[in-house]
């Protein structure tokens, strides 16, 4: 089992550019979560999916952020246009039914 | 968004010492979890607690689910250098009734040889 796979590990982009973060959950896990981690705000849940359907997106900061899960093995988090305050580490986590989350290694995003 | 109050924020201890950290909330939680995060990695689950009063150990780690369901603590005995990292409490609030997980603010642990 390769665990939750996130790509890229690091992303540096210019303000205004579109950024796409990718996540491959563990096979068989039916829930997927996107988190953002910053020094100021800690770990925040942005959105989560259950069986590929978005259940709670109340943590998505604004319309510049969007997330999709087209199938059980892939999810994306997109920021368009990106801003310096979006700089953070973004984690994806997946969970089997009724069990506990496994986190990916994260994507460190820097917007300059 | 809601966060759990975790203390202390940071700890600097000598190898071999015991460590204690705790987490409190103003609302009731269904589960309490403790994670450890190493630099450049995602959080890794250490201990999960499911019932009020539950006391669970995992090697040198011991955690308890508070009787009021609004708090939890984690103890690490006989610390070693590899215990260095950030420890997070997390939980599923009763009022959400979903898989939504709320995280504490973290305790940064530094162990000196």
């Amino acid at each position: 089992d390769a665990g939750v796979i996130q790509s890229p590990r690091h992303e540096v982009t210019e303000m205004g550019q579109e950024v796409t973060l990718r996540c491959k959950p563990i096979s068989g896990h039916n829930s997927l979560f996107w988190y953002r981690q910053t020094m100021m705000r800690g770990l925040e849940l942005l959105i989560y999916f259950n069986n590929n359907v978005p259940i709670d997106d109340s943590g998505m900061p604004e319309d510049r952020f969007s997330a999709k899960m087209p199938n059980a093995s892939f999810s994306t988090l997109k920021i368009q246009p990106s801003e310096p305050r979006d700089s953070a580490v973004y984690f994806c986590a997946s969970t089997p039914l009724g069990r506990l989350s496994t986190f990916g290694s994260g994507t460190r995003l820097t917007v300059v | 968004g809601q966060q759990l109050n975790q203390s202390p924020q940071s700890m600097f201890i000598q190898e071999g010492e015991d460590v204690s950290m705790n987490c409190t909330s103003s609302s009731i939680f269904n589960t309490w979890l403790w994670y450890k995060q190493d630099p450049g990695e995602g959080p890794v689950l250490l201990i999960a607690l499911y019932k009020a009063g539950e006391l669970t150990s995992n090697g040198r780690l011991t955690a308890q689910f508070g009787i009021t369901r609004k708090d939890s603590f984690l103890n690490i005995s006989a610390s070693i250098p590899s215990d260095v990292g950030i420890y997070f409490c997390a939980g599923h609030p009763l009022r959400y009734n979903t898989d939504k997980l709320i995280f504490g603010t973290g305790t940064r642990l530094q162990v000196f040889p």
Side-chain angles (χ1 to χ4, degrees):
Chain A
D1 189 345
V4 176
I5 299 173
Q6 290 186 247
S7 64
R9 285 298 307 268
H10 302 274
E11 176 82 36
V12 180
T13 191
E14 289 187 345
M15 183 174 63
Q17 296 297 307
E18 177 181 296
V19 175
T20 299
L21 311 181
R22 297 173 176 79
C23 176
K24 180 178 174 9
I26 293 174
S27 177
H29 285 196
N30 66 320
S31 292
L32 183 142
F33 302 79
W34 282 101
Y35 292 88
R36 177 172 67 177
Q37 186 176 35
T38 60
M39 288 294 291
M40 293 298 295
R41 299 175 65 87
L43 265 163
E44 303 173 277
L45 177 65
L46 300 177
I47 184 171
Y48 84 91
F49 296 84
N50 186 258
N51 293 324
N52 313 339
V53 176
I55 302 300
D56 185 344
D57 65 355
S58 59
M60 295 286 263
E62 47 198 276
D63 291 346
R64 298 183 297 106
F65 285 69
S66 63
K68 293 182 180 178
M69 192 164 186
N71 57 62
S73 58
F74 185 65
S75 177
T76 58
L77 178 68
K78 185 178 293 186
I79 308 172
Q80 165 63 21
S82 57
E83 297 181 3
R85 62 193 168 118
D86 301 331
S87 298
V89 182
Y90 290 82
F91 287 104
C92 175
S94 70
T95 307
L97 182 64
R99 303 292 295 276
L100 302 169
S101 293
T102 300
F103 282 76
S105 297
T107 294
R108 181 175 293 277
L109 174 65
T110 303
V111 183
V112 297
Chain B
Q2 178 186 354
Q3 279 191 331
L4 299 170
N5 298 313
Q6 192 172 340
S7 64
Q9 272 191 325
S10 58
M11 303 184 74
F12 298 85
I13 63 169
Q14 202 101 37
E15 183 178 358
E17 289 184 6
D18 296 344
V19 172
S20 185
M21 58 192 80
N22 67 75
C23 214
T24 59
S25 169
S26 57
S27 55
I28 291 174
F29 277 62
N30 275 329
T31 57
W32 283 96
L33 310 171
W34 286 92
Y35 286 84
K36 182 192 177 201
Q37 186 176 23
D38 291 325
E41 298 296 330
V44 174
L45 182 67
L46 299 174
I47 290 182
L49 303 158
Y50 298 99
K51 295 191 309 186
E54 180 180 352
L55 184 71
T56 297
S57 292
N58 178 7
R60 294 179 296 105
L61 277 58
T62 302
Q64 184 159 32
F65 192 141
I67 290 290
T68 64
R69 301 172 71 182
K70 294 182 179 181
D71 63 326
S72 176
F73 72 74
L74 174 71
N75 288 341
I76 306 173
S77 62
S79 58
I80 59 178
S82 62
D83 290 334
V84 166
I86 305 176
Y87 292 78
F88 291 98
C89 62
H92 294 105
L94 175 66
R95 59 191 172 98
Y96 287 156
N97 195 29
T98 66
D99 290 335
K100 190 167 184 172
L101 197 59
I102 305 298
F103 277 83
T105 47
T107 295
R108 187 180 296 271
L109 178 64
Q110 187 65 256
V111 179
F112 294 102

